[in-house]
Amino acid sequence: VFTSSDTVGTLENSTVGTLVTTVTSTDADAGVNAYTEYAITGGNDGHFWINSTTGQVFLMEQLDREAVGSYSLVITASNPAAAVAQTAMQVLVVTVLNANNHPAVFDMTNFSMALWQNTSIGSVIYVVSARTKNEGIHAQIAYSLVVDGGAFAINAATGEILVNGILDVHTQEIYLLYVTATANGDEPRASTIGINITLLDINTVPPVFPSHWNFVNVTETNAVDSFVYQAVAQGDKWFPAATYTIESGARGSFVIDPITGVVSIAATLN
């Protein structure tokens, strides 16, 4: 008659060779007739082994609760030395207990994106997501972020990446964010991806002339359309082009090419 419990739990991350339980029984006989041997006679796929003499049940293969959540092992106790062999059976239910043995895995890989530099603080620019095969509290995922300058932050629960500071392409054009997803538990398991963000300028720097005043001499005999001067203004490196106009003083005698900045004679001079 079995005297040990017919249920036991073992963590899915238990190492091979772990003692799962010890089955015990009693026999009213005495001497050799009371000698008992144990065997697993059903429900085993190779994950367990029993010491026939002691009744100790050991783990022989790695468990995975997400694959198989429990095993129903048929344990047979027999006394083969007795004149009349007697046997007893017990169904030992081994429940595989959840452990945080699966990492959080992102739904995306490393990637690059562009962002306007005037994006306001608090704006959500992207949402990362990850998942894990763990269950229960171990399936909860927390997000964290590392970035130079502190210009971005992440919502630990939702994975939303937000602008956390003023962006200025002239101060820093490229940001490399390292985002980590961690499956919670006693043994946190995580994965990390990189996000490369390039800021786009919105042309906040006005074009500048090298000099406020320039003097050019022309004669009244110069023909219409004759070249007089070329204006050159310096913008920023993202928006180097400028559009040119004559604001005042031309009196209809001069025109400027809006693209090239070339000033030429528009009418006969007198």
Side-chain angles (χ1 to χ4, degrees), residues 168-219:
D168 185 353
V169 70
H170 304 285
T171 301
Q172 184 170 345
E173 180 185 359
I174 297 175
Y175 291 86
L176 181 57
L177 282 59
Y178 292 100
V179 181
T180 298
T182 303
N184 293 329
D186 296 333
E187 301 176 11
R189 295 173 182 262
S191 60
T192 300
I193 61 170
I195 305 175
N196 189 303
I197 298 179
T198 300
L199 295 186
L200 302 177
D201 197 1
I202 57 169
N203 196 16
T204 57
V205 178
V208 177
F209 287 107
S211 174
H212 289 291
W213 296 94
N214 290 280
F215 298 92
V216 178
N217 294 320
V218 295
T219 64

Side-chain angles (χ1 to χ4, degrees), residues 82-151:
V84 179
Q86 300 290 327
T87 62
M89 287 191 301
Q90 179 189 65
V91 177
L92 175 64
V93 177
V94 180
T95 301
V96 182
L97 303 178
N98 192 32
N100 187 25
N101 65 334
H102 292 287
V105 178
F106 279 99
D107 295 329
M108 68 286 293
T109 57
N110 300 340
F111 66 95
S112 298
M113 62 180 293
L115 182 69
W116 291 107
Q117 73 159 353
N118 65 336
T119 303
S120 58
I121 294 175
S123 297
V124 176
I125 63 168
Y126 197 83
V127 181
V128 296
S129 59
R131 47 192 158 180
T132 178
K133 293 181 180 180
N134 295 330
E135 299 177 350
I137 63 170
H138 302 304
Q140 297 174 0
I141 294 175
Y143 300 94
S144 59
L145 180 150
V146 175
V147 58
D148 291 337

